[in-house]
Amino acid sequence: MHLPKVSVILTSFNHEKYIREAIDSALNQTFNDFELLILDDCSSDNSWDLINQYSDSRIKPFRNDVNKGPVEGVNKAISEI
């Protein structure tokens, strides 16, 4: 099993307007040996649906059942590695 050299953590709460730009920016880097951990913090907008439209194997999406705030989101993403 190949472990990526870099883990990028992206947390999102109701960022429908910006989530595609953030994901595309990470995926379009010239360095490719990374994983993109995306934690949606129970968004009430379309963020989670947009995140799940990507089929790139470097993306690892997670979602909280309830909103827990950004610090909890980063901690959860780190614990999922």
Side-chain angles (χ1 to χ4, degrees):
M1 179 177 155
H2 172 75
L3 294 176
K5 287 187 178 185
V6 175
S7 295
V8 177
I9 299 173
L10 175 64
T11 60
S12 174
F13 175 69
N14 290 340
H15 289 139
E16 175 181 13
K17 185 175 179 181
Y18 306 104
I19 194 70
R20 280 188 188 277
E21 183 178 355
I23 294 170
D24 291 344
S25 176
L27 295 178
N28 290 325
Q29 299 299 307
T30 56
F31 181 81
N32 286 312
D33 192 11
F34 69 89
E35 64 183 349
L36 177 57
L37 305 169
I38 305 173
L39 180 79
D40 181 77
D41 198 14
C42 196
S43 293
S44 58
D45 65 3
N46 200 35
S47 296
W48 183 240
D49 293 331
L50 294 174
I51 292 165
N52 283 297
Q53 288 179 359
Y54 288 84
S55 60
D56 193 299
S57 63
R58 296 172 291 177
I59 296 176
K60 311 287 189 278
F62 302 92
R63 185 166 203 251
N64 285 336
D65 294 332
V66 296
N67 183 275
K68 296 182 180 181
V71 173
E72 179 72 24
V74 170
N75 289 337
K76 181 176 180 176
I78 291 170
S79 71
E80 296 291 338
I81 295 176

